[in-house]
Amino acid sequence: MKKNIMKNSTFFFTLLLLTTSICSSQSLEYQKKKTKKTKKSSVFTKIINGDIKATIVYEDDDIIAFVPLRLQAPVHLLIVPKKEIHTINEVSEEDTLLLGKLFLVAKKLAKEQGVSETGYRLSININEDAGQSVFHLHMHLLGGKKLGPMVAQEE
């Protein structure tokens, strides 16, 4: 069973890594902001360490999930690995099980929050064009209403 999970997870995350290549460079302003932020602990690391309070809905040795300050849907949770990884672009093969666990925690939380059957969105923002502002990998779980398209639909 573990071998199948590992094999499937490795395939999935290898595919994910291949599809996240950078198409254009980041603006100089964004690069400066990102460099400054990555030189110190992220706000999520401060939550993990207990330096900043948060409404924690899940925690184990590897992952923490909490309610963000700015809700974007009736159900909005941030699911964060305790290992500080700045973006998906910095993920390595040794992170495969950790990333798979993010999805399992998301599934569990979606069920607990009552959105597993009606529908929910999992979103990971990577760098400037996606609007990443906290450089500690995290997944948004959004639900509790019709969410609409993720990007404007072209005609």
Side-chain angles (χ1 to χ4, degrees):
M1 175 84 173
K2 273 190 173 179
K3 278 189 175 183
N4 280 343
I5 291 172
M6 179 69 165
K7 186 177 177 182
N8 290 339
S9 295
T10 300
F11 172 77
F12 174 74
F13 289 110
T14 301
L15 184 62
L16 184 64
L17 288 172
L18 291 173
T19 60
T20 58
S21 62
I22 299 172
C23 295
S24 62
S25 61
Q26 300 165 4
S27 70
L28 187 57
E29 180 183 336
Y30 185 82
Q31 287 177 30
K32 286 179 184 178
K33 185 188 312 183
K34 181 178 178 181
T35 299
K36 182 179 177 184
K37 286 184 173 188
T38 57
K39 285 185 178 183
K40 57 185 180 177
S41 292
S42 75
V43 66
F44 297 160
T45 298
K46 291 175 184 173
I47 290 170
I48 291 163
N49 293 336
D51 300 331
I52 296 176
K53 289 191 176 232
T55 304
I56 297 170
V57 297
Y58 177 89
E59 185 171 13
D60 65 24
D61 290 341
D62 303 313
I63 296 180
I64 190 167
F66 51 89
V67 179
L69 293 177
R70 291 184 297 259
L71 296 178
Q72 297 174 16
V75 173
H76 186 181
L77 301 175
L78 297 178
I79 306 166
V80 183
K82 289 185 175 180
K83 177 181 178 182
E84 192 168 304
I85 302 168
H86 296 135
T87 75
I88 283 286
N89 296 333
E90 283 81 36
V91 167
S92 68
E93 283 196 34
E94 73 181 35
D95 299 317
T96 300
L97 291 177
L98 178 64
L99 296 176
K101 192 171 182 182
L102 278 177
F103 284 90
L104 293 174
V105 170
K107 173 185 161 185
K108 174 185 177 358
L109 292 173
K111 185 171 185 165
E112 288 176 2
Q113 295 289 316
V115 296
S116 63
E117 295 302 318
T118 57
Y120 58 99
R121 176 172 296 152
L122 299 175
S123 175
I124 300 173
N125 300 320
I126 300 126
N127 286 325
E128 186 171 24
D129 286 352
Q132 183 180 9
S133 60
V134 177
F135 297 98
H136 186 139
L137 181 67
H138 58 284
M139 177 185 293
H140 296 258
L141 186 156
L142 300 155
K145 71 175 189 177
K146 289 200 181 284
L147 297 173
M150 288 178 47
V151 295
Q153 302 294 309
E154 295 184 25
E155 303 209 14

